[in-house]
Coordinates of all heavy atoms in Angstrom, one line a residue:
M1 N -1.6 -52.7 117.0 CA -0.8 -52.0 116.0 C -0.2 -50.8 116.8 O 1.0 -50.5 116.8 CB -1.6 -51.5 114.8 CG -1.9 -52.6 113.7 SD -0.3 -53.1 113.0 CE -0.7 -53.3 111.3
A2 N -1.1 -49.9 117.5 CA -0.6 -48.7 118.0 C 0.4 -49.0 119.1 O 1.3 -48.2 119.3 CB -1.8 -47.9 118.5
A3 N 0.3 -50.1 119.7 CA 1.2 -50.4 120.9 C 2.6 -50.7 120.3 O 3.5 -50.7 121.1 CB 0.7 -51.6 121.6
R4 N 2.7 -50.9 119.0 CA 4.0 -51.3 118.5 C 4.7 -50.2 117.7 O 5.5 -50.4 116.7 CB 3.9 -52.6 117.6 CG 3.3 -53.7 118.3 CD 3.7 -55.0 117.6 NE 5.2 -55.1 117.7 CZ 5.8 -56.0 116.8 NH1 5.1 -56.7 116.0 NH2 7.2 -56.0 116.8
R5 N 4.4 -49.0 118.2 CA 4.9 -47.8 117.4 C 6.4 -47.7 117.6 O 7.1 -47.2 116.8 CB 4.3 -46.5 117.9 CG 3.1 -46.0 117.1 CD 2.6 -44.8 117.6 NE 2.4 -44.9 119.1 CZ 2.3 -43.9 119.9 NH1 2.1 -42.7 119.4 NH2 2.2 -44.1 121.2
R6 N 6.9 -48.1 118.7 CA 8.4 -48.0 119.0 C 9.0 -49.4 119.3 O 9.3 -49.6 120.5 CB 8.6 -47.0 120.1 CG 8.1 -45.7 120.0 CD 8.5 -44.7 121.0 NE 9.9 -44.6 121.1 CZ 10.5 -44.1 122.0 NH1 10.0 -43.7 123.1 NH2 11.9 -44.0 122.0
P7 N 9.1 -50.2 118.3 CA 9.6 -51.6 118.5 C 11.0 -51.6 119.1 O 11.3 -52.6 119.6 CB 9.5 -52.1 117.0 CG 9.6 -51.0 116.1 CD 8.9 -49.9 116.8
E8 N 11.8 -50.5 118.9 CA 13.1 -50.5 119.5 C 13.3 -50.7 121.0 O 14.2 -51.2 121.5 CB 14.0 -49.3 118.9 CG 13.6 -48.0 119.6 CD 12.5 -47.4 118.8 OE1 11.8 -48.1 118.0 OE2 12.2 -46.2 119.0
V9 N 12.2 -50.3 121.6 CA 12.1 -50.3 123.1 C 12.1 -51.8 123.6 O 12.8 -52.2 124.5 CB 10.9 -49.6 123.6 CG1 10.7 -49.8 125.1 CG2 11.1 -48.1 123.3
S10 N 11.4 -52.7 122.8 CA 11.3 -54.0 123.2 C 12.4 -55.0 122.7 O 12.2 -56.1 122.9 CB 9.9 -54.4 122.9 OG 9.8 -54.5 121.5
R11 N 13.3 -54.4 121.9 CA 14.3 -55.3 121.3 C 15.2 -55.8 122.4 O 15.5 -55.2 123.5 CB 15.1 -54.5 120.2 CG 14.5 -54.6 118.9 CD 15.4 -53.9 117.9 NE 14.7 -53.6 116.7 CZ 15.1 -52.7 115.8 NH1 16.1 -52.0 116.0 NH2 14.3 -52.5 114.7
P12 N 15.7 -57.0 122.1 CA 16.7 -57.5 123.1 C 17.8 -56.7 123.3 O 18.2 -55.9 122.4 CB 17.1 -58.9 122.4 CG 16.2 -59.1 121.3 CD 15.6 -57.8 120.9
S13 N 18.5 -56.8 124.4 CA 19.6 -56.0 124.7 C 20.9 -56.3 123.8 O 21.7 -55.5 123.7 CB 20.0 -56.1 126.2 OG 20.3 -57.4 126.5
R14 N 20.8 -57.4 123.2 CA 22.1 -57.7 122.3 C 21.5 -58.0 121.0 O 21.2 -59.2 120.5 CB 22.8 -59.1 122.7 CG 23.1 -58.9 124.2 CD 24.1 -60.1 124.6 NE 25.4 -59.9 124.0 CZ 26.2 -61.0 123.9 NH1 25.9 -62.1 124.4 NH2 27.5 -60.9 123.2
P15 N 21.3 -56.9 120.1 CA 20.7 -57.0 118.8 C 21.6 -57.8 117.9 O 22.9 -57.9 118.1 CB 20.6 -55.6 118.4 CG 21.6 -54.9 119.2 CD 21.7 -55.6 120.5
H16 N 21.1 -58.3 116.9 CA 21.9 -59.1 115.9 C 22.5 -58.2 114.8 O 22.0 -58.1 113.7 CB 21.0 -60.2 115.3 CG 20.5 -61.3 116.3 ND1 21.3 -62.4 116.5 CD2 19.5 -61.3 117.1 CE1 20.7 -63.1 117.4 NE2 19.6 -62.3 117.9
L17 N 23.6 -57.5 115.3 CA 24.3 -56.6 114.4 C 25.7 -57.0 114.1 O 26.2 -57.8 114.9 CB 24.3 -55.2 115.0 CG 23.0 -54.5 115.2 CD1 23.1 -53.3 116.0 CD2 22.3 -54.3 113.8
P18 N 26.3 -56.7 113.0 CA 27.7 -57.2 112.7 C 28.7 -56.6 113.5 O 28.6 -55.3 113.8 CB 27.8 -56.8 111.2 CG 26.9 -55.7 110.9 CD 25.6 -55.9 111.9
M19 N 29.6 -57.3 113.8 CA 30.7 -56.8 114.7 C 32.0 -56.8 113.6 O 32.5 -57.7 113.2 CB 31.1 -57.8 115.8 CG 32.1 -57.4 116.8 SD 32.0 -58.5 118.3 CE 31.8 -60.2 117.4
R20 N 32.3 -55.5 113.4 CA 33.5 -55.3 112.4 C 34.8 -55.3 113.2 O 34.8 -54.9 114.3 CB 33.3 -54.1 111.7 CG 32.1 -53.8 110.8 CD 31.9 -52.5 110.4 NE 30.8 -52.4 109.4 CZ 29.6 -52.1 109.6 NH1 29.2 -52.0 110.8 NH2 28.7 -52.1 108.7
P21 N 35.9 -55.9 112.6 CA 35.9 -56.3 111.2 C 35.8 -57.8 111.0 O 36.1 -58.4 110.0 CB 37.4 -55.9 110.8 CG 38.2 -56.2 112.1 CD 37.2 -55.8 113.2
L22 N 35.3 -58.5 112.0 CA 35.2 -60.0 112.0 C 33.9 -60.4 111.3 O 33.8 -61.6 110.9 CB 35.2 -60.5 113.4 CG 36.6 -60.4 114.1 CD1 36.4 -60.9 115.6 CD2 37.6 -61.2 113.4
W23 N 32.9 -59.5 111.3 CA 31.6 -59.8 110.6 C 31.0 -61.1 111.3 O 30.5 -61.9 110.6 CB 31.7 -59.9 109.1 CG 32.0 -58.6 108.6 CD1 33.2 -58.0 108.5 CD2 31.0 -57.6 108.2 NE1 33.1 -56.6 108.1 CE2 31.7 -56.4 107.9 CE3 29.7 -57.6 108.1 CZ2 31.1 -55.3 107.4 CZ3 29.1 -56.5 107.7 CH2 29.7 -55.4 107.3
R24 N 31.1 -61.0 112.7 CA 30.3 -62.0 113.5 C 29.2 -61.2 114.1 O 29.3 -60.0 114.4 CB 31.3 -62.7 114.5 CG 32.4 -63.5 113.8 CD 32.3 -64.9 114.4 NE 33.0 -65.8 113.6 CZ 32.6 -67.0 113.2 NH1 31.5 -67.5 113.7 NH2 33.4 -67.8 112.5
C25 N 28.2 -62.0 114.5 CA 27.1 -61.3 115.1 C 27.4 -60.9 116.6 O 27.8 -61.7 117.2 CB 25.8 -62.3 115.0 SG 24.4 -61.5 115.8
R26 N 27.0 -59.7 116.9 CA 27.2 -59.2 118.3 C 26.2 -60.0 119.2 O 26.6 -60.1 120.4 CB 26.8 -57.7 118.4 CG 27.9 -56.8 117.9 CD 27.4 -55.3 118.1 NE 28.2 -54.5 117.3 CZ 29.4 -54.1 117.7 NH1 29.9 -54.4 118.9 NH2 30.1 -53.3 117.0
G27 N 25.0 -60.5 118.7 CA 24.2 -61.1 119.5 C 24.4 -62.6 119.8 O 24.4 -62.9 120.9
C28 N 24.7 -63.2 118.7 CA 24.7 -64.8 118.9 C 26.1 -65.3 118.4 O 26.3 -66.5 118.6 CB 23.5 -65.4 118.0 SG 23.7 -65.1 116.3
G29 N 26.9 -64.4 117.8 CA 28.3 -65.0 117.5 C 28.4 -65.7 116.1 O 29.6 -66.0 115.8
A30 N 27.3 -65.9 115.4 CA 27.4 -66.6 114.2 C 27.9 -65.6 113.0 O 28.0 -64.4 113.3 CB 26.0 -67.0 113.8
E31 N 28.2 -66.2 112.0 CA 28.7 -65.3 110.9 C 27.5 -64.4 110.5 O 26.4 -64.8 110.3 CB 29.0 -66.1 109.7 CG 30.4 -66.9 109.9 CD 30.9 -67.5 108.6 OE1 30.0 -67.8 107.8 OE2 32.1 -67.6 108.4
W32 N 27.8 -63.1 110.4 CA 26.7 -62.2 110.1 C 26.5 -62.1 108.6 O 27.5 -62.2 107.8 CB 27.0 -60.8 110.6 CG 25.9 -60.0 110.7 CD1 25.0 -59.8 111.8 CD2 25.4 -59.1 109.7 NE1 24.0 -58.9 111.5 CE2 24.2 -58.4 110.1 CE3 25.7 -58.7 108.4 CZ2 23.4 -57.4 109.4 CZ3 24.9 -57.9 107.7 CH2 23.8 -57.3 108.1
P33 N 25.3 -62.0 108.1 CA 24.0 -61.9 108.8 C 23.6 -63.3 109.2 O 23.3 -64.2 108.3 CB 23.1 -61.4 107.7 CG 23.6 -61.7 106.3 CD 25.1 -61.9 106.6
C34 N 23.4 -63.5 110.5 CA 22.8 -64.7 111.1 C 21.3 -64.8 110.8 O 20.8 -63.8 110.3 CB 23.0 -64.7 112.6 SG 22.3 -63.3 113.4
Q35 N 20.8 -65.9 111.2 CA 19.3 -66.2 110.9 C 18.4 -65.0 111.4 O 17.5 -64.6 110.7 CB 18.9 -67.5 111.4 CG 17.7 -68.1 110.5 CD 17.9 -68.2 109.0 OE1 19.0 -68.5 108.6 NE2 17.0 -67.9 108.2
P36 N 18.5 -64.7 112.7 CA 17.7 -63.6 113.3 C 17.9 -62.3 112.5 O 16.9 -61.5 112.2 CB 18.0 -63.5 114.6 CG 18.6 -64.9 115.0 CD 19.3 -65.3 113.8
A37 N 19.1 -62.0 112.1 CA 19.4 -60.8 111.4 C 18.7 -60.8 110.1 O 18.1 -59.8 109.6 CB 20.9 -60.5 111.2
R38 N 18.8 -61.9 109.4 CA 18.2 -62.0 108.0 C 16.7 -61.8 108.1 O 16.1 -61.1 107.3 CB 18.5 -63.4 107.5 CG 19.9 -63.6 107.0 CD 20.2 -65.0 106.5 NE 21.6 -65.3 106.5 CZ 22.3 -66.2 105.7 NH1 21.4 -67.0 105.1 NH2 23.4 -66.3 105.7
L39 N 16.2 -62.4 109.1 CA 14.7 -62.2 109.3 C 14.3 -60.8 109.5 O 13.3 -60.3 109.0 CB 14.1 -63.2 110.5 CG 14.0 -64.7 110.2 CD1 13.7 -65.4 111.5 CD2 13.0 -64.9 109.1
S40 N 15.0 -60.2 110.5 CA 14.6 -58.8 110.7 C 14.9 -57.8 109.5 O 14.2 -56.9 109.4 CB 15.3 -58.3 111.9 OG 16.7 -58.3 111.8
L41 N 15.9 -58.2 108.8 CA 16.2 -57.4 107.5 C 15.0 -57.7 106.5 O 14.5 -56.7 105.9 CB 17.4 -57.7 106.9 CG 18.7 -57.2 107.5 CD1 19.9 -57.8 107.0 CD2 18.8 -55.7 107.3
L42 N 14.6 -58.9 106.4 CA 13.4 -59.1 105.5 C 12.1 -58.4 105.9 O 11.4 -58.0 105.1 CB 13.2 -60.7 105.4 CG 14.3 -61.5 104.6 CD1 13.9 -63.0 104.8 CD2 14.2 -61.0 103.1
V43 N 11.9 -58.3 107.2 CA 10.8 -57.6 107.7 C 10.9 -56.1 107.4 O 10.0 -55.4 106.9 CB 10.5 -57.8 109.2 CG1 9.5 -57.0 109.8 CG2 10.2 -59.3 109.4
E44 N 12.1 -55.6 107.7 CA 12.3 -54.2 107.7 C 12.3 -53.8 106.2 O 11.7 -52.7 105.9 CB 13.8 -53.9 108.1 CG 14.1 -52.5 108.3 CD 15.5 -52.3 109.1 OE1 15.9 -53.1 109.6 OE2 16.0 -51.2 108.8
Y45 N 12.7 -54.5 105.3 CA 12.7 -54.1 103.8 C 11.6 -54.9 103.1 O 11.7 -55.1 101.8 CB 14.1 -54.5 103.2 CG 15.2 -53.5 103.6 CD1 15.9 -53.7 104.8 CD2 15.3 -52.3 102.9 CE1 16.9 -52.8 105.2 CE2 16.3 -51.5 103.3 CZ 17.1 -51.7 104.4 OH 18.1 -50.9 104.8
R46 N 10.6 -55.3 103.7 CA 9.5 -56.1 103.0 C 9.0 -55.4 101.8 O 8.5 -56.1 101.0 CB 8.5 -56.6 104.0 CG 7.7 -55.6 104.6 CD 6.7 -56.2 105.7 NE 6.0 -55.2 106.4 CZ 6.5 -54.5 107.5 NH1 7.8 -54.8 107.8 NH2 5.9 -53.6 108.1
D47 N 8.9 -54.1 101.9 CA 8.3 -53.4 100.8 C 9.2 -52.9 99.7 O 8.9 -52.3 98.7 CB 7.5 -52.2 101.3 CG 6.4 -52.6 102.3 OD1 5.7 -53.5 101.9 OD2 6.1 -51.8 103.2
D48 N 10.5 -53.2 100.0 CA 11.6 -52.7 99.0 C 12.7 -53.7 98.9 O 13.7 -53.5 99.5 CB 12.0 -51.3 99.5 CG 12.7 -50.6 98.1 OD1 13.0 -51.3 97.2 OD2 12.9 -49.4 98.3
R49 N 12.5 -54.8 98.3 CA 13.6 -55.9 98.1 C 14.8 -55.3 97.5 O 15.8 -55.7 97.8 CB 13.0 -57.1 97.5 CG 13.9 -58.3 97.5 CD 14.1 -58.8 99.0 NE 12.9 -59.3 99.6 CZ 12.6 -60.5 99.7 NH1 13.3 -61.5 99.0 NH2 11.4 -60.9 100.2
T50 N 14.6 -54.4 96.5 CA 15.7 -53.8 95.7 C 16.7 -53.1 96.8 O 17.9 -53.2 96.7 CB 15.3 -52.9 94.7 OG1 14.3 -53.7 93.8 CG2 16.4 -52.4 93.8
A51 N 16.0 -52.2 97.5 CA 16.9 -51.4 98.5 C 17.6 -52.5 99.5 O 18.7 -52.2 99.8 CB 16.0 -50.5 99.3
L52 N 17.0 -53.5 99.9 CA 17.7 -54.5 100.8 C 18.9 -55.1 100.0 O 20.0 -55.2 100.7 CB 16.6 -55.6 101.1 CG 17.3 -56.7 102.0 CD1 17.9 -56.3 103.2 CD2 16.2 -57.9 102.1
L53 N 18.8 -55.5 98.7 CA 19.9 -56.0 98.0 C 20.9 -55.0 97.9 O 22.1 -55.3 97.8 CB 19.3 -56.6 96.7 CG 18.6 -57.7 96.8 CD1 17.8 -58.2 95.4 CD2 19.3 -59.0 97.2
V54 N 20.5 -53.7 97.7 CA 21.6 -52.7 97.5 C 22.4 -52.5 98.8 O 23.6 -52.5 98.8 CB 20.9 -51.3 97.0 CG1 22.0 -50.2 97.1 CG2 20.4 -51.4 95.7
Y55 N 21.7 -52.5 99.9 CA 22.2 -52.4 101.3 C 23.2 -53.6 101.5 O 24.4 -53.4 101.9 CB 21.1 -52.4 102.3 CG 21.5 -52.3 103.7 CD1 22.3 -51.3 104.2 CD2 21.1 -53.3 104.6 CE1 22.7 -51.3 105.6 CE2 21.5 -53.3 105.9 CZ 22.3 -52.3 106.4 OH 22.6 -52.3 107.7
L56 N 22.6 -54.8 101.2 CA 23.5 -56.0 101.5 C 24.8 -56.0 100.6 O 25.8 -56.4 101.1 CB 22.6 -57.2 101.3 CG 21.6 -57.5 102.3 CD1 20.7 -58.5 101.9 CD2 22.2 -57.9 103.7
G57 N 24.5 -55.5 99.4 CA 25.7 -55.4 98.6 C 26.8 -54.5 99.0 O 28.0 -54.8 98.9
T58 N 26.4 -53.4 99.6 CA 27.3 -52.4 100.3 C 28.1 -53.2 101.4 O 29.2 -53.0 101.5 CB 26.5 -51.2 100.7 OG1 25.8 -50.6 99.6 CG2 27.6 -50.2 101.3
L59 N 27.3 -53.8 102.2 CA 27.9 -54.4 103.4 C 28.8 -55.6 103.0 O 29.9 -55.9 103.5 CB 26.8 -55.0 104.3 CG 25.9 -54.0 105.0 CD1 24.8 -54.7 105.8 CD2 26.8 -53.1 105.9
M60 N 28.4 -56.3 101.9 CA 29.2 -57.4 101.4 C 30.6 -56.9 100.9 O 31.6 -57.5 101.3 CB 28.5 -58.1 100.2 CG 29.3 -59.4 99.7 SD 28.4 -60.3 98.6 CE 28.5 -59.2 97.1
A61 N 30.6 -55.7 100.3 CA 31.8 -55.1 99.8 C 32.7 -54.7 100.9 O 34.0 -55.0 101.0 CB 31.6 -54.0 98.9
E62 N 32.1 -54.1 102.0 CA 32.8 -53.8 103.2 C 33.4 -55.0 103.9 O 34.6 -55.0 104.3 CB 32.0 -53.0 104.1 CG 32.6 -52.3 105.2 CD 31.6 -51.6 106.1 OE1 30.4 -51.5 105.8 OE2 32.1 -51.3 107.3
A63 N 32.6 -56.0 104.1 CA 33.0 -57.3 104.6 C 34.1 -57.9 103.9 O 35.1 -58.4 104.5 CB 31.7 -58.1 104.9
G64 N 33.9 -58.0 102.7 CA 35.0 -58.5 101.8 C 36.3 -57.9 101.9 O 37.4 -58.6 102.1
A65 N 36.3 -56.5 101.9 CA 37.6 -55.9 102.1 C 38.1 -56.0 103.5 O 39.4 -56.3 103.6 CB 37.4 -54.3 101.9
Q66 N 37.3 -56.0 104.5 CA 38.0 -56.2 105.9 C 38.3 -57.6 106.2 O 39.3 -57.8 106.8 CB 36.8 -55.8 106.9 CG 36.5 -54.3 106.8 CD 35.4 -53.8 107.9 OE1 34.8 -54.5 108.5 NE2 35.4 -52.4 107.9
L67 N 37.6 -58.6 105.6 CA 37.9 -60.0 105.9 C 39.2 -60.3 105.2 O 40.0 -61.0 105.6 CB 36.8 -60.9 105.6 CG 35.6 -60.9 106.5 CD1 34.4 -61.6 105.9 CD2 36.0 -61.3 107.8
S68 N 39.3 -59.8 103.9 CA 40.6 -60.2 103.1 C 41.8 -59.5 103.8 O 42.8 -60.1 103.8 CB 40.5 -59.7 101.7 OG 40.3 -58.3 101.6
Q69 N 41.7 -58.3 104.4 CA 42.7 -57.7 105.2 C 43.1 -58.6 106.3 O 44.3 -58.8 106.7 CB 42.4 -56.4 105.7 CG 42.7 -55.3 104.7 CD 42.6 -53.9 105.3 OE1 42.1 -53.7 106.4 NE2 43.2 -52.9 104.6
L70 N 42.1 -59.1 107.1 CA 42.4 -60.0 108.2 C 43.0 -61.2 107.7 O 44.1 -61.8 108.5 CB 41.0 -60.3 108.9 CG 40.4 -59.3 109.7 CD1 39.1 -59.9 110.3 CD2 41.3 -58.9 110.9
N71 N 42.6 -61.8 106.7 CA 43.1 -63.1 106.3 C 44.5 -63.1 105.6 O 45.1 -63.9 105.4 CB 42.1 -63.8 105.3 CG 40.8 -64.2 106.1 OD1 40.7 -64.2 107.2 ND2 39.7 -64.4 105.2
G72 N 44.7 -61.8 105.1 CA 45.9 -61.6 104.3 C 45.9 -62.1 102.9 O 46.8 -62.3 102.3
H73 N 44.7 -62.5 102.4 CA 44.5 -62.9 101.0 C 43.1 -62.6 100.6 O 42.4 -61.7 101.3 CB 44.8 -64.4 100.9 CG 43.9 -65.2 101.9 ND1 42.7 -65.5 101.8 CD2 44.4 -65.8 103.1 CE1 42.3 -66.3 102.8 NE2 43.3 -66.5 103.5
A74 N 42.6 -63.2 99.5 CA 41.4 -62.9 99.0 C 40.2 -63.1 100.0 O 40.2 -63.8 100.9 CB 41.1 -63.7 97.8
A75 N 39.1 -62.3 99.7 CA 37.9 -62.5 100.5 C 37.4 -63.8 100.5 O 37.5 -64.5 99.5 CB 36.9 -61.4 100.1
P76 N 36.6 -64.2 101.5 CA 36.0 -65.5 101.4 C 35.1 -65.7 100.2 O 34.4 -64.7 99.8 CB 35.2 -65.6 102.7 CG 35.8 -64.6 103.6 CD 36.4 -63.6 102.7
A77 N 35.2 -66.9 99.6 CA 34.5 -67.1 98.3 C 32.9 -67.3 98.5 O 32.2 -67.0 97.5 CB 34.9 -68.4 97.7
N78 N 32.5 -67.4 99.6 CA 31.0 -67.7 99.9 C 30.2 -66.4 100.3 O 29.1 -66.4 100.8 CB 30.8 -68.7 101.0 CG 31.3 -68.2 102.4 OD1 32.0 -67.3 102.5 ND2 30.8 -68.9 103.4
L79 N 30.8 -65.2 100.1 CA 30.3 -64.0 100.6 C 28.9 -63.7 99.9 O 28.0 -63.2 100.4 CB 31.1 -62.8 100.4 CG 32.2 -62.7 101.5 CD1 33.0 -61.4 101.3 CD2 31.6 -62.6 102.8
T80 N 28.9 -64.0 98.5 CA 27.6 -63.8 97.7 C 26.5 -64.7 98.4 O 25.3 -64.1 98.6 CB 27.9 -64.0 96.3 OG1 28.9 -63.3 95.9 CG2 26.5 -63.8 95.4
E81 N 26.8 -65.9 98.6 CA 25.9 -66.8 99.2 C 25.3 -66.2 100.5 O 24.1 -66.1 100.8 CB 26.4 -68.2 99.4 CG 25.6 -69.2 99.8 CD 24.6 -69.7 98.7 OE1 25.0 -69.5 97.5 OE2 23.6 -70.2 99.0
R82 N 26.3 -65.8 101.3 CA 26.1 -65.4 102.7 C 25.3 -64.1 102.7 O 24.4 -63.9 103.7 CB 27.5 -65.2 103.4 CG 27.5 -64.7 104.8 CD 28.9 -64.8 105.4 NE 29.0 -64.0 106.4 CZ 30.2 -63.7 107.1 NH1 31.2 -64.4 106.7 NH2 30.3 -63.0 108.1
F83 N 25.6 -63.1 101.9 CA 25.0 -61.8 102.1 C 23.8 -61.6 101.1 O 22.9 -60.8 101.4 CB 26.0 -60.7 101.7 CG 26.9 -60.3 102.9 CD1 28.1 -61.1 103.1 CD2 26.6 -59.4 103.7 CE1 28.9 -60.9 104.2 CE2 27.4 -59.0 104.9 CZ 28.5 -59.8 105.1
L84 N 23.8 -62.2 99.9 CA 22.9 -61.9 98.9 C 21.8 -63.0 98.6 O 20.7 -62.7 98.3 CB 23.5 -61.4 97.7 CG 24.2 -60.1 97.7 CD1 25.0 -59.7 96.4 CD2 23.3 -58.9 98.1
S85 N 22.2 -64.3 98.4 CA 21.5 -65.3 97.8 C 20.1 -65.4 98.6 O 19.0 -65.5 98.0 CB 22.2 -66.6 97.8 OG 23.4 -66.5 96.9
W86 N 20.3 -65.4 99.9 CA 19.0 -65.6 100.7 C 18.0 -64.5 100.5 O 16.8 -64.7 100.8 CB 19.4 -65.8 102.1 CG 20.1 -64.6 102.7 CD1 21.4 -64.4 102.7 CD2 19.5 -63.4 103.3 NE1 21.8 -63.2 103.3 CE2 20.5 -62.6 103.6 CE3 18.3 -63.1 103.6 CZ2 20.3 -61.4 104.2 CZ3 17.9 -61.8 104.2 CH2 19.0 -60.9 104.5
A87 N 18.4 -63.3 100.1 CA 17.6 -62.1 100.1 C 16.8 -62.0 98.7 O 16.1 -61.1 98.6 CB 18.4 -60.9 100.5
R88 N 17.3 -62.6 97.7 CA 16.7 -62.4 96.4 C 15.3 -62.9 96.4 O 14.9 -63.9 97.0 CB 17.5 -63.3 95.4 CG 18.9 -62.8 95.2 CD 19.4 -63.0 93.8 NE 20.7 -62.4 93.6 CZ 21.9 -63.1 93.6 NH1 21.8 -64.4 93.8 NH2 23.0 -62.5 93.5
A89 N 14.5 -62.2 95.7 CA 13.1 -62.5 95.6 C 12.9 -63.8 94.9 O 13.7 -64.2 94.0 CB 12.3 -61.4 94.9
R90 N 12.0 -64.7 95.4 CA 11.8 -65.9 94.7 C 10.4 -66.0 94.1 O 9.6 -65.2 94.3 CB 12.0 -67.1 95.7 CG 11.7 -66.8 97.1 CD 12.3 -67.7 98.0 NE 13.5 -67.1 98.7 CZ 13.8 -67.4 100.0 NH1 13.2 -68.4 100.6 NH2 14.8 -66.8 100.6
Ligands
ZN1 ZN1 22.8 -63.1 115.6

């Protein structure tokens, strides 16, 4: 336990973070949140699922606005699935 006080030191050099405004993963290029990003979010927010959903909702709104500007039309229809459905408590 004590050895893992600073997990950021051992993180890979290409973390799974969103690349705006495309909302692709900087680490693996998949649509963000990619699987590794989802897993680390679930770990990070394991004690507060509500906070995770609020956070993801904020990101989804931002992504929707940026992606719809890029596309020149409405935001992709699957954003709720992509950002929120997997994070809901079951
Ligand atoms: Zn990734």
Side-chain angles (χ1 to χ4, degrees):
M1 279 299 221
R4 302 205 56 200
R5 266 181 315 165
R6 302 189 59 199
E8 68 273 15
V9 170
S10 61
R11 271 185 196 162
S13 55
R14 306 190 68 195
H16 295 271
L17 294 173
M19 189 167 41
R20 296 173 172 85
L22 291 173
W23 291 87
R24 295 234 163 223
C25 179
R26 283 181 196 279
C28 64
E31 289 190 331
W32 198 90
C34 60
Q35 202 60 37
R38 292 178 190 197
L39 282 175
S40 63
L41 284 167
L42 286 173
V43 170
E44 191 174 336
Y45 285 89
R46 63 186 172 277
D47 296 326
D48 196 347
R49 190 60 69 93
T50 304
L52 173 59
L53 290 169
V54 169
Y55 175 62
L56 289 168
T58 306
L59 292 179
M60 182 175 75
E62 189 184 346
Q66 293 180 351
L67 289 171
S68 64
Q69 273 192 344
L70 283 181
N71 295 342
H73 53 74
N78 64 344
L79 282 183
T80 303
E81 186 76 21
R82 177 171 155 186
F83 279 83
L84 291 177
S85 295
W86 59 270
R88 291 206 178 107
R90 29 203 106 147

